[in-house]
Amino acid sequence: SVEGDAIKVYVRVRPPSEGTALPDGDQGLCLSVLSTNTIRLHSKPEPKIFTFDYVANMETTQESVFSSVAKNIVESCMNGYNGTIFAYGQTGSGKTFTMMGPSDSDNFTHSLRGVIPRSFEYLFFLIEREKEKAGSGKSFLCKCSFIEIYNEQIFDLLDSASAGLFLREHIKKGVFVDGAVEQVLSSAAEAYQVLTMGWRNRRVASTSMNRESSRSHAVFTITVESMEKNNEIVNIRSSLLNLVDLAGSERQKDTHTEGLRLKEAGNINRSLSCLGQVITALVDVGNGKQRHICYRDSKLTFLLRDSLGGNAKTCIIANVHPGSRCFGETLSTLNFAQRAKLIKNKAVVNEDTQGNVS
Amino acid sequence: MAAGGGAGKMAAEAWAAARDKFRAARALSRVESRKDPATEPFRSKYAARALLEEVKQLLSGAAEGGEAVRRAVLEYELGVNHADTEELSAGEEHLLRCTRLLQPQRLSRRCVALYIQAQVARSGSGDGSGSGNGPHPALCPQNNLGILWSERDEIHAAREHLEAAESAYQQYMKEDGNPPLDPSEHFMDEEEKLTDQERSKRFEKAYTHTLYYLAQVYQHLEMIEKAAQYCHTTLKRQLEFSGYYPVEWALNAATLSQYYLSKQCFMEARHCLAAANVIFSQAGQVPSAEDNETEQDQQDLRQRKAEIARCWIKYCLNLLQSARKLLEDNIGELDLDRQLELKAQRKKEEDEKENGRKKAVLFVTSDICDSVLAMEEKVSCVYPLDFQEAREIFLVGQNYVQEAKEFFQVDGYVTDHIEIVQDHSALFKVLAFFEEDYERRCKMHKRRVDMLEPLCADLNPQYYLLISRQLQFELADTYYEMMDLKVAIGNRLEELDPHTIKKINSLAQLAIKYYELFLDSLRNPDKVFPEELEEDVLRPAMVAKFHIARLYGKLITSDGKKQLENMQTSLEYYTFLVDYCEKYPDAVRAVETELELSKEMVGLLPARMERLRAKLSPFI
């Protein structure tokens, strides 16, 4: 059937770090990679098989992860499509290694550098190539912004003084963060520099608020604008490349958040805020009737609306740790990834001319 | 009585120690714990737990039967404490012990409130060690509750506990009804005890929470109607016992109205919306906690108001559209016989309805009753049966369109703004159904074009592909409809005048233009039309092709060659439908009528073209 723009899901299994695999038991591992797109989770009583667009086993190189996940997306970005790469997984599942590279070195030149630096290199490589091909007729402008969404609030990571930015929409430019700093980029190295600087701000922000950073989402966006002059006609094309680090998928063992379950019940004075969610869910079942829901999307889904089922190329990299101690988290990551595959652009066109064909 | 009795049996000293420790534990767990550092989140909870265990020791020394309730209070506190510190199965054990201790006298004045709270707490516990089957909250914001009850078994258990609490409340109110003791009172001295008013307030609040959790449980069990009923009752009780935030309440009520719309319950929907408006207006009057409202708060308030207006728009729209469904004949026109029949029927029912209304669950507490009724009187909740009635509803809807647009301006709120304009257009469209004069009807459609066309031209499909397609399709359809109306008007004339012909042709061309734009939006970046259409655009795409075929057939020209060309184009589009369905038989279901007509045309057109050709060159 038609391939469509469904989200591609890529699962990567990291190798267990030394010393952690064996003490867990005989097997030590809770899953095995069966082929390049299937994975078996040793759940009880029945093992469970998951199928994804790609499954990278422990031996997969950084280079190969990049070529199978990101290369395509960067290329379509050059063709005017928007592209988004999400990273998802529990802490310790290799998310940072996959996206950035080894944590303690200059990732930009390291042979094990991750998807993000490689995407930067490739993007600017493609831009240079285009420029050479087209001569002086074509020029490019790259800008980037870097924001963090924490607790439904938006912070600018390129301007640590700012707080509480707003999402707005522009009829030509789509969704944007009002007032976010945009930095012009001229090379991949510069892009990487901006990214690492923002990343440091993220940590600062998270400690000053006394909150764990893994509850925040970070979105790094590069806007690629090309201008082509053909005689007197100027042709401008622009597209976005979003790199998203989703909040950790793990349970928040050491914080209050998991206490949610009984806090709800125990704290009898709380506002009944879940009632709205229940009612919303009731209305959603409303068989195609006209209705309006007063509750808005989360900030993240609103910002990335286009990537989650629009005309964009989107990929999720789900990172898992194979250790049997991580079984619960791994199962939930795989379940999440499975669901993500179902997200698709639903172009419902109002069309009620049936019976009007006289 | 309880404390006095306890103090009598226990040594006064032991009682004082137990009371003070219990009090300290509650303070630790309810107040201090909020200030615990992130590195030691449960410090105060653990300290509270230790104190509770000590109290338990003191009580077991007393070993009197009358202490059962106090022991149950301790088990309850310990249960909540364990659950708060993520030791869920231990928490559940304590709570189970609590309900067991209470079981024999659960309907007594001393126990019923605690019993209900313990059952509610149990419904939220159980060992769902967060296997997290729910989707990531970031991607599915409305589904946080999925995390709470990820396993089916747990939710069934939750339901049992909550229903037990519900029936305990009802039975108690029936048999006794006096304000029962609050659980906290069992460790209070006589002189500190609560007033009956305070007792009643707390008891009712706990019951409201029971219903609130039941609403969630029923929703998760997909018992939608029941869930809606419990949502409604929760809202109602919030009003009665004034435990609500006006804005939040108003939004919930407005959203609930949308549920009633999907069930065609217009009276209930209107009632929710009217109450939402009334309660919302309280929000402006009550200054917020900090008193100095920020600009952000003001903006939020304006947005909520606009959201409620949008719910009203949908109300008007649904009422009009449902009425149209009732009144239309098989070609989509007003059925006059049906209209008479329904009018007669309505007269008969009117009186009965007045009585039925009072039986429904309504938000009528004395102080807002009049305002809600006044609000309701502004718009009907029965199906409009003629243009005059339809127009009144239309005007109300249009007013709310203006109100909603004040906040949702295109600059900053593109999607919302366009959705509102689409609703406005839909209001005109359904109003046009009731209009008998074709010229005036045509003008209504022209209004739709005027509001949609500029948006469609400005919108960047790279970011708004879906809305862009919707606008293109709607514009195409509107022009198509206008052309049909002009043809109908022309048919009444003796002879088509050049002006009418020009008008028909230009409307047809515009319809074709927008259908083609829509079809172009389906092409890939290399401008290739997809080999196989995606399911969600299949029908619209086929309808677009079919309508283009018909439009080419309707173009009027005196130039024979041009006419032949148009027929040729028409044939190509009809052929597309027929060939496509042959290749992908699954598509047939979506376009049965269109396919049948297309097949017919593919059969007829070549012969007609042959005749025309012969007429054009009779001498060959």
Side-chain angles (χ1 to χ4, degrees):
Chain A
S1 79
V2 197
E3 204 178 46
D5 288 331
I7 292 179
K8 297 264 186 300
V9 179
Y10 189 105
V11 173
R12 186 182 200 187
V13 182
R14 65 161 285 172
S17 42
E18 283 130 62
T20 57
L22 291 175
D24 260 332
D26 306 347
Q27 311 260 306
L29 299 184
C30 66
L31 55 82
S32 31
V33 175
L34 301 181
S35 72
T36 50
N37 59 8
T38 48
I39 198 165
R40 178 166 59 206
L41 192 67
H42 306 156
S43 51
K44 276 163 197 154
E46 291 283 300
K48 208 170 172 245
I49 309 253
F50 288 89
T51 308
F52 296 102
D53 294 294
Y54 320 85
V55 174
N57 62 21
M58 300 175 203
E59 279 83 48
T60 312
T61 62
Q62 294 283 69
E63 172 61 33
S64 115
V65 173
F66 169 74
S67 345
S68 34
V69 188
K71 213 168 171 187
N72 208 329
I73 290 181
V74 177
E75 278 163 10
S76 32
C77 208
M78 292 297 290
N79 294 327
Y81 267 105
N82 297 332
T84 299
I85 303 171
F86 283 103
Y88 183 79
Q90 72 174 113
T91 304
S93 60
K95 213 161 55 163
T96 312
F97 181 78
T98 300
M99 297 306 283
M100 302 283 276
S103 52
D104 50 353
S105 52
D106 176 8
N107 279 318
F108 194 61
T109 51
H110 201 284
S111 61
L112 289 178
R113 66 193 182 282
V115 166
I116 292 176
R118 283 171 206 265
S119 298
F120 291 162
E121 284 161 33
Y122 191 53
L123 180 68
F124 281 94
F125 163 77
L126 290 176
I127 289 175
E128 288 309 315
R129 201 177 64 181
E130 277 286 298
K131 273 200 218 157
E132 265 170 43
K133 250 195 341 208
S136 62
K138 199 166 186 180
S139 61
F140 285 87
L141 178 63
C142 282
K143 286 177 292 187
C144 70
S145 65
F146 195 12
I147 58 133
E148 178 181 38
I149 303 176
Y150 174 77
N151 212 357
E152 284 301 292
Q153 276 185 292
I154 300 175
F155 301 96
D156 192 342
L157 290 173
L158 302 186
D159 172 15
S160 50
S162 81
L165 299 180
F166 294 104
L167 280 176
R168 291 170 68 80
E169 282 180 296
H170 187 275
I171 200 160
K172 292 277 182 221
K173 292 182 284 193
V175 183
F176 66 101
V177 180
D178 201 2
V181 169
E182 279 195 309
Q183 206 140 322
V184 176
L185 300 173
S186 56
S187 69
E190 221 175 278
Y192 195 74
Q193 214 182 344
V194 175
L195 177 79
T196 43
M197 188 198 83
W199 205 271
R200 273 198 298 272
N201 274 340
R202 187 181 178 190
R203 295 224 181 95
V204 172
S206 62
T207 51
S208 70
M209 272 187 295
N210 197 17
R211 286 288 189 275
E212 64 295 351
S213 64
S214 57
R215 292 319 289 171
S216 79
H217 312 288
V219 184
F220 189 82
T221 305
I222 302 185
T223 316
V224 185
E225 226 174 72
S226 68
M227 195 164 76
E228 200 167 6
K229 269 195 200 129
N230 247 332
N231 301 321
E232 287 308 299
I233 302 157
V234 184
N235 197 357
I236 296 177
R237 197 145 77 163
S238 106
S239 53
L240 302 177
L241 177 62
N242 297 305
L243 302 161
V244 185
D245 184 22
L246 287 175
S249 64
E250 64 271 19
R251 281 203 295 148
Q252 300 298 305
K253 281 215 167 62
D254 304 319
T255 64
H256 294 291
T257 43
E258 183 61 14
L260 186 70
R261 188 185 296 267
L262 257 171
K263 245 182 219 147
E264 281 284 337
N267 191 352
I268 221 88
N269 283 322
R270 242 187 84 95
S271 86
L272 311 183
S273 55
C274 286
L275 190 67
Q277 295 175 354
V278 177
I279 300 176
T280 306
L282 298 179
V283 181
D284 270 339
V285 192
N287 48 48
K289 282 242 161 38
Q290 294 265 359
R291 84 269 187 288
H292 177 69
I293 308 283
C294 300
Y295 297 87
R296 303 183 64 81
D297 297 341
S298 78
K299 292 277 186 335
L300 183 72
T301 35
F302 190 75
L303 180 64
L304 298 171
R305 191 146 66 174
D306 211 44
S307 312
L308 297 167
N311 54 340
K313 303 279 182 197
T314 301
C315 170
I316 289 182
I317 307 179
N319 289 280
V320 293
H321 192 292
S324 43
R325 228 188 285 163
C326 300
F327 176 82
E329 318 293 8
T330 298
L331 174 63
S332 101
T333 303
L334 294 178
N335 274 331
F336 164 77
Q338 193 105 57
R339 258 166 233 262
K341 278 207 305 188
L342 302 175
I343 301 174
K344 224 188 82 183
N345 184 11
K346 269 268 164 245
V348 184
V349 173
N350 266 326
E351 188 274 305
D352 60 356
T353 47
Q354 216 155 5
N356 191 12
V357 289
S358 52
Chain B
M1 179 184 77
K9 280 163 198 157
M10 276 169 84
E13 235 170 277
W15 159 248
R19 181 199 59 201
D20 293 345
K21 282 193 168 135
F22 181 83
R23 224 178 254 175
R26 274 181 63 108
L28 275 169
S29 135
R30 285 171 170 70
V31 184
E32 285 303 309
S33 70
R34 291 198 201 131
K35 297 175 223 150
D36 285 345
T39 47
E40 271 181 285
F42 299 143
R43 191 168 65 187
S44 306
K45 297 266 180 199
Y46 290 147
R49 187 192 299 181
L51 284 172
L52 291 169
E53 295 286 0
E54 283 176 39
V55 181
K56 209 170 147 186
Q57 286 301 320
L58 288 170
L59 280 197
S60 73
E64 308 273 346
E67 293 302 315
V69 186
R70 254 183 223 149
R71 286 220 300 279
V73 172
L74 286 172
E75 294 294 352
Y76 172 77
E77 290 290 333
L78 282 166
V80 174
N81 182 292
H82 276 90
D84 277 352
T85 52
E86 292 170 24
E87 295 160 45
L88 293 173
S89 38
E92 164 66 8
E93 255 172 62
H94 283 291
L95 292 169
L96 177 65
R97 250 177 266 151
C98 171
T99 45
R100 271 206 200 123
L101 282 165
L102 294 172
Q103 195 61 32
Q105 33 178 343
R106 66 179 195 285
L107 294 178
S108 71
R109 246 191 107 193
R110 303 178 63 211
C111 299
V112 67
L114 178 62
Y115 179 76
I116 286 175
Q117 288 193 23
Q119 291 289 16
V120 172
R122 286 183 71 190
S123 78
S125 99
D127 188 23
S129 46
S131 51
N133 267 332
H136 190 276
L139 297 180
C140 191
Q142 271 127 29
N143 225 349
N144 295 339
L145 295 170
I147 302 163
L148 296 187
W149 292 303
S150 47
E151 306 287 341
R152 295 291 283 183
D153 290 348
E154 280 181 50
I155 196 161
H156 285 296
R159 180 185 172 180
E160 263 174 48
H161 297 314
L162 291 166
E163 285 179 348
E166 186 189 21
S167 77
Y169 171 87
Q170 282 167 352
Q171 220 176 321
Y172 177 80
M173 289 311 269
K174 212 169 97 190
E175 291 168 9
D176 189 320
N178 290 306
L181 258 61
D182 188 71
S184 66
E185 290 186 84
H186 296 293
F187 283 91
M188 280 182 188
D189 285 329
E190 199 57 52
E191 60 277 13
E192 302 170 293
K193 298 249 159 143
L194 304 173
T195 60
D196 270 358
Q197 196 190 6
E198 179 64 22
R199 282 175 180 160
S200 170
K201 202 179 120 194
R202 293 192 187 186
F203 185 56
E204 295 299 343
K205 209 163 202 172
Y207 183 60
T208 304
H209 274 78
T210 310
L211 300 180
Y212 160 67
Y213 288 112
L214 272 171
Q216 297 179 51
V217 165
Y218 291 134
Q219 181 237 315
H220 280 269
L221 292 171
E222 284 164 30
M223 299 160 74
I224 299 302
E225 234 158 282
K226 217 159 172 174
Q229 187 195 323
Y230 277 80
C231 285
H232 195 127
T233 316
T234 305
L235 287 174
K236 193 178 158 194
R237 291 181 57 88
Q238 280 182 288
L239 273 193
E240 275 167 44
F241 300 102
S242 41
Y244 64 96
Y245 300 115
V247 176
E248 192 180 295
W249 194 95
L251 277 190
N252 284 341
T255 311
L256 187 60
S257 76
Q258 306 297 291
Y259 162 79
Y260 286 123
L261 286 187
S262 68
K263 300 278 170 209
Q264 312 240 58
C265 301
F266 292 103
M267 189 185 73
E268 287 83 351
R270 183 181 67 172
H271 185 68
C272 286
L273 285 167
N277 276 10
V278 170
I279 296 298
F280 186 87
S281 64
Q282 295 179 352
Q285 296 158 10
V286 185
S288 72
E290 286 95 276
D291 214 24
N292 54 337
E293 278 185 23
T294 61
E295 195 185 326
Q296 174 58 31
D297 293 334
Q298 285 296 337
Q299 186 173 329
D300 275 353
L301 215 56
R302 288 199 300 126
Q303 178 173 338
R304 305 289 173 240
K305 190 162 174 247
E307 303 268 11
I308 295 173
R310 292 178 69 180
C311 290
W312 273 111
I313 300 171
K314 298 293 188 190
Y315 170 84
C316 297
L317 199 48
N318 274 289
L319 189 55
L320 287 166
Q321 285 173 339
S322 301
R324 180 178 73 182
K325 278 227 170 65
L326 281 181
L327 287 165
E328 71 187 356
D329 59 17
N330 52 8
I331 57 158
E333 289 289 324
L334 185 68
D335 185 332
L336 295 172
D337 293 339
R338 186 100 184 94
Q339 186 181 30
L340 282 176
E341 191 185 310
L342 285 168
K343 279 191 168 175
Q345 193 184 324
R346 181 161 77 189
K347 218 171 171 88
K348 227 174 68 192
E349 280 172 2
E350 231 148 43
D351 316 305
E352 293 160 36
K353 220 167 211 151
E354 274 306 304
N355 298 327
R357 144 181 255 305
K358 301 211 168 68
K359 282 185 210 138
V361 202
L362 298 176
F363 302 125
V364 182
T365 59
S366 53
D367 48 334
I368 64 158
C369 182
D370 292 342
S371 329
V372 173
L373 286 176
M375 198 69 225
E376 284 182 321
E377 267 165 27
K378 291 183 184 167
V379 58
S380 162
C381 72
V382 295
Y383 296 121
L385 296 178
D386 56 32
F387 179 78
Q388 205 42 46
E389 292 174 357
R391 185 171 166 272
E392 277 168 27
I393 295 165
F394 166 87
L395 288 175
V396 173
Q398 186 166 253
N399 272 338
Y400 281 114
V401 165
Q402 300 314 338
E403 186 177 321
K405 270 161 74 181
E406 266 170 41
F407 179 81
F408 291 112
Q409 293 175 7
V410 71
D411 184 22
Y413 299 94
V414 179
T415 310
D416 291 290
H417 180 86
I418 293 178
E419 280 168 4
I420 294 164
V421 175
Q422 285 177 311
D423 281 348
H424 197 185
S425 160
L427 280 168
F428 266 113
K429 184 178 179 178
V430 67
L431 180 67
F433 166 83
F434 291 91
E435 175 59 71
E436 285 164 47
D437 183 283
Y438 281 5
E439 283 291 352
R440 289 217 302 265
R441 198 191 279 191
C442 214
K443 286 199 180 100
M444 291 181 189
H445 289 305
K446 180 69 171 70
R447 290 287 299 275
R448 300 172 60 204
V449 165
D450 290 343
M451 58 179 85
L452 298 171
E453 213 160 34
L455 289 173
C456 186
D458 279 349
L459 202 60
N460 182 349
Q462 193 184 356
Y463 300 104
Y464 301 101
L465 180 67
L466 173 58
I467 318 180
S468 196
R469 282 179 181 165
Q470 287 176 346
L471 291 179
Q472 288 158 352
F473 203 94
E474 195 173 343
L475 278 164
D477 264 0
T478 313
Y479 278 123
Y480 187 90
E481 221 159 320
M482 287 169 75
M483 180 216 60
D484 265 352
L485 285 167
K486 287 285 173 202
V487 170
I489 294 165
N491 284 346
R492 290 183 191 154
L493 304 171
E494 299 264 301
E495 200 182 340
L496 281 179
D497 57 292
H499 176 74
T500 310
I501 292 176
K502 218 176 125 193
K503 196 80 211 163
I504 291 172
N505 280 346
S506 99
L507 289 170
Q509 294 290 5
L510 284 161
I512 291 172
K513 171 185 141 187
Y514 281 105
Y515 281 128
E516 290 289 9
L517 275 175
F518 169 73
L519 290 170
D520 284 344
S521 81
L522 305 176
R523 294 171 188 269
N524 72 10
D526 302 322
K527 308 280 178 239
V528 182
F529 196 78
E531 190 65 22
E532 187 179 355
L533 290 157
E534 299 243 13
E535 204 193 324
D536 41 16
V537 292
L538 173 68
R539 175 155 171 88
M542 297 298 254
V543 169
K545 292 268 186 191
F546 178 74
H547 281 186
I548 294 173
R550 291 194 64 228
L551 284 159
Y552 274 104
K554 297 241 169 177
L555 287 171
I556 303 166
T557 169
S558 53
D559 178 351
K561 249 178 82 189
K562 192 84 199 139
Q563 198 184 349
L564 202 57
E565 264 173 43
N566 289 342
M567 285 167 99
Q568 181 59 40
T569 314
S570 189
L571 178 63
E572 279 161 23
Y573 279 88
Y574 282 128
T575 311
F576 174 91
L577 246 77
V578 176
D579 288 352
Y580 187 92
C581 291
E582 207 151 281
K583 198 165 168 201
Y584 304 103
D586 280 350
V588 176
R589 253 181 316 128
V591 282
E592 251 166 293
T593 331
E594 289 81 1
L595 179 62
E596 202 181 305
L597 284 160
S598 296
K599 277 184 179 157
E600 206 175 299
M601 292 309 282
V602 170
L604 285 174
L605 269 176
R608 274 195 213 162
M609 287 162 71
E610 207 41 60
R611 252 180 283 143
L612 182 60
R613 254 187 226 113
K615 213 169 85 188
L616 286 178
S617 45
F619 305 115
I620 296 171

